Amino acid sequence: MFGLIPFFRSTIGKKVLMAVSGFFLFAFCVEHVTGALLFLRGPDAINGYGRLLHYSAALIWFFRAGLLTSAVVHVTFATLLYFQEFGARPVGYQNRRYLRSSYAARTMKYSGPFLLGFVIFHLAHLTWGYNVVPGPFIEGDIYANMLNGFRTGWVALVYLGAVSLLGLHLLHGAHSMFESLGLRHRRIESLLFGFARVATVVISVGLALAPAAVFFRIIGG
Amino acid sequence: MNLVLMVWRQENARAQGHMQRIEAKDVSPDMSFLEMLDVVNEGLTEAGQSPIAFDHDCREGICGSCGVVINGVPHGPQPGTTTCQLHMRHFRDGQVIVIEPFRARAFPVIRDLMVDRSAFDRVIAAGGFITSPTGSAPDGNAMLVSKHAADTAMEAAACIGCGACVAACPNASAMLFVGAKVSHLGLLPQGQPERWSRVHAMVAAMDAEGFGGCTNFLECAAVCPKNVSSDFIGRLNRDLIGAVFLARPRVASNDAG
Ligand code: HEM
Ligand code: SF4
Ligand code: FES
């Protein structure tokens, strides 16, 4: 009989954990778009949003703990599955043709670690205020910190590159997470793929607007 | 037609393998792929070389013994077709054909293109028995099966255990095969008493054999010669999740006691 621990050791259970943690990370991305879009409405909008998030210390730490747990679970089980899958075919093919799988699906194991690196850079830049980009960091003035950062060309380009990779990761992830939970049937397949495409466009375009607007000097001259 | 074959040659399980270039002359387009290999093997034998070892039995697409990777696709370019039912008319004169064994840790190469697929037999054995009354024949219609369940179970039961799904999967995952085996019993009333313990046991056996996990690539269903649908992977996930979180089976496991 499977108890919970053997279940989460099985390949299917590990994928369930990746899907659930991936879903929380995905939901956070959706929420994050609203924040990023407020940048376009000016300093009051986004700084007010920041104060709203910090309204209750208990609440924000509750969400932070949830996100951190999701990220740790997601990365841990991605790594475990990666090694299992690596070991499952010790001798590869000389000649290989793919019929159905998408580029996004086959590059999850590469887009993922890049995202991890970016998330750390992003937190260092805008949350912890470490000097990873040129210019000063002003505690609480989210607008100024974003503007400052994105004014440096390479910083804006790192952000734009990262949201493109996030889009690639979600193009597969945003339907794969449902499938890993057993929601796979020919009747809903096109629905899930459609959902993943729409969500990917909304999230990556939504997150790209702020750095792009500064990069092209539409905002901040 | 004349073809150039690039074939994986490996003396035995432990030997180092290599690709060998072999010319196949005067191949009839009406031959099956295995008949073409038979003719090539006759030529090799006459020239004093060892023939290419490959698995085959029924040669009518029902036993699941045959199966090689042809130009990067298990069972070759024709969808829904086993290697034995693939005909040479699907190839061009002068074409180079790369032939490799199914690759997976759970399917070690025995010789050349032959692999040991007994991992699948152990997964099936782990599924165990079904409880069904023996003795005189049951009354017709005493046990009702809906048309939908009968059709879906039949679709799952069409799996011939060839292993192409594993060979095609970038992770060498056996989820399509195990999904089909779990589902064809799990859909029928006769398979209900052990349904939850069966899915536990078969998934545990699948993992123990060293197959990879499912990343939802769907290469498996694209090469399956019996067109087994990836819907059965969803069913396998639901049955295992259901067994762990909802059903928490109390029925006896398949070993004694
Ligand atoms: C912004 C952060 C991230 C989000 C929103 C996210 C989201 C997702 C989602 C929704 C899935 C689908 C889960 C499934 O297939 O069931 C997924 C899969 C995956 N993620 Fe992430 N992820 C993120 C970060 C990462 C990181 C940092 C890594 C690696 C270190 C990673 C590696 C992977 C891999 C390898 C898969 C495929 C797993 C598989 O299908 O077997 N992800 N991700
Ligand atoms: S599911 Fe299809 S490809 Fe896999 S073993 Fe069964 S018949 Fe072969
Ligand atoms: S030899 Fe039996 S299926 Fe091909």
Side-chain angles (χ1 to χ4, degrees):
Chain A
M1 278 315 96
F2 268 25
L4 277 185
I5 294 192
F7 174 67
F8 289 125
R9 279 213 192 112
S10 74
T11 42
I12 294 181
K14 286 191 190 112
K15 278 311 302 274
V16 165
L17 286 176
M18 285 213 67
V20 173
S21 58
F23 177 80
F24 286 128
L25 296 174
F26 168 79
F28 169 75
C29 291
V30 175
E31 186 274 337
H32 213 51
V33 170
T34 38
L37 287 179
L38 287 175
F39 175 80
L40 306 175
R41 298 202 52 192
D44 293 343
I46 189 153
N47 290 345
Y49 170 76
R51 279 195 297 280
L52 181 73
L53 288 186
H54 286 266
Y55 176 72
S56 150
L59 211 59
I60 192 165
W61 279 108
F62 174 76
F63 282 109
R64 279 178 175 170
L67 271 177
L68 184 66
T69 313
S70 300
V72 169
V73 167
H74 196 76
V75 173
T76 308
F77 285 89
T79 312
L80 289 176
L81 282 164
Y82 175 76
F83 282 113
Q84 179 178 349
E85 280 144 19
F86 192 73
R89 178 169 293 134
V91 184
Y93 293 106
Q94 312 261 332
N95 186 11
R96 170 93 241 217
R97 232 180 90 210
Y98 296 109
L99 301 176
R100 278 283 293 280
S101 60
S102 65
Y103 180 76
R106 292 195 304 270
T107 52
M108 293 301 269
K109 50 184 174 284
Y110 310 119
S111 54
F114 272 107
L115 286 177
L116 180 63
F118 169 74
V119 168
I120 294 170
F121 169 76
H122 175 51
L123 288 172
H125 173 202
L126 289 171
T127 305
W128 303 324
Y130 296 162
N131 289 323
V132 288
V133 305
F137 177 83
I138 306 159
E139 182 83 45
D141 193 349
I142 304 173
Y143 185 85
N145 293 333
M146 285 171 81
L147 193 62
N148 242 333
F150 299 155
R151 270 192 172 137
T152 309
W154 69 263
V155 177
L157 288 178
V158 164
Y159 273 81
L160 291 175
V163 294
S164 315
L165 280 180
L166 177 64
L168 195 64
H169 201 74
L170 288 181
L171 197 56
H172 178 71
H175 65 81
S176 180
M177 59 189 180
F178 297 114
E179 291 160 353
S180 299
L181 295 174
L183 284 172
R184 172 193 287 296
H185 198 276
R186 56 202 107 173
R187 283 203 303 259
I188 57 168
E189 186 167 282
S190 52
L191 189 80
L192 291 183
F193 274 65
F195 170 82
R197 287 199 185 118
V198 172
T200 298
V201 170
V202 170
I203 291 175
S204 35
V205 173
L207 293 177
L209 284 179
V214 180
F215 185 72
F216 293 110
R217 297 293 186 263
I218 298 166
I219 287 180
Chain B
M1 59 206 279
N2 295 319
L3 301 162
V4 176
L5 309 183
M6 296 294 297
V7 189
W8 180 260
R9 303 305 301 270
Q10 183 174 337
E11 200 58 38
N12 56 52
R14 267 156 294 123
Q16 189 78 26
H18 63 97
M19 297 301 276
Q20 186 186 3
R21 189 188 139 99
I22 301 172
E23 307 216 350
K25 295 227 155 60
D26 296 326
V27 173
S28 155
D30 297 330
M31 284 176 178
S32 76
F33 200 86
L34 298 188
E35 283 164 345
M36 181 274 291
L37 287 179
D38 289 338
V39 171
V40 167
N41 274 347
E42 265 174 45
L44 287 174
T45 314
E46 276 165 15
Q49 297 179 30
S50 69
I52 305 164
F54 61 91
D55 263 322
H56 61 102
D57 187 22
C58 70
R59 297 210 176 195
E60 54 183 14
I62 55 169
C63 73
S65 325
C66 65
V68 291
V69 176
I70 302 165
N71 286 341
V73 179
H75 291 304
Q78 199 61 11
T81 307
T82 53
T83 305
C84 59
Q85 295 286 86
L86 174 70
H87 287 86
M88 296 315 293
R89 58 176 166 272
H90 298 297
F91 298 88
R92 287 185 325 274
D93 186 36
Q95 193 175 347
V96 178
I97 305 180
V98 182
I99 313 171
E100 295 175 78
F102 284 179
R103 295 284 189 199
R105 183 162 71 122
F107 291 167
V109 171
I110 300 170
R111 185 185 173 94
D112 299 341
L113 304 173
M114 267 179 151
V115 297
D116 179 357
R117 278 166 293 185
S118 41
F120 269 10
D121 300 336
R122 290 187 289 273
V123 172
I124 291 188
F129 54 75
I130 60 159
T131 305
S132 74
T134 54
S136 56
D139 282 347
N141 295 336
M143 194 178 264
L144 298 179
V145 181
S146 75
K147 172 79 175 134
H148 176 74
D151 287 351
T152 318
M154 190 60 215
E155 208 191 307
C159 166
I160 54 176
C162 64
C165 42
V166 174
C169 176
N171 302 335
S173 168
M175 290 282 280
L176 189 63
F177 166 78
V178 178
K181 295 304 166 200
V182 160
S183 301
H184 91 254
L185 293 174
L187 278 155
L188 297 173
Q190 291 90 340
Q192 294 311 306
E194 297 82 17
R195 178 170 170 189
W196 308 111
S197 53
R198 184 187 308 116
V199 66
H200 281 154
M202 291 183 91
V203 169
M206 167 180 96
D207 285 347
E209 296 294 344
F211 294 106
C214 175
T215 308
N216 304 311
F217 288 122
L218 296 196
E219 291 292 342
C220 51
V223 301
C224 173
K226 298 292 131 183
N227 295 322
V228 169
S229 159
S230 57
D231 291 1
F232 294 115
I233 297 180
R235 233 191 125 73
L236 173 59
N237 283 326
R238 290 197 301 280
D239 266 20
L240 189 72
I241 294 169
V244 172
F245 292 98
L246 308 173
R248 302 244 92 200
R250 249 157 264 116
V251 297
S253 64
N254 292 333
D255 33 64

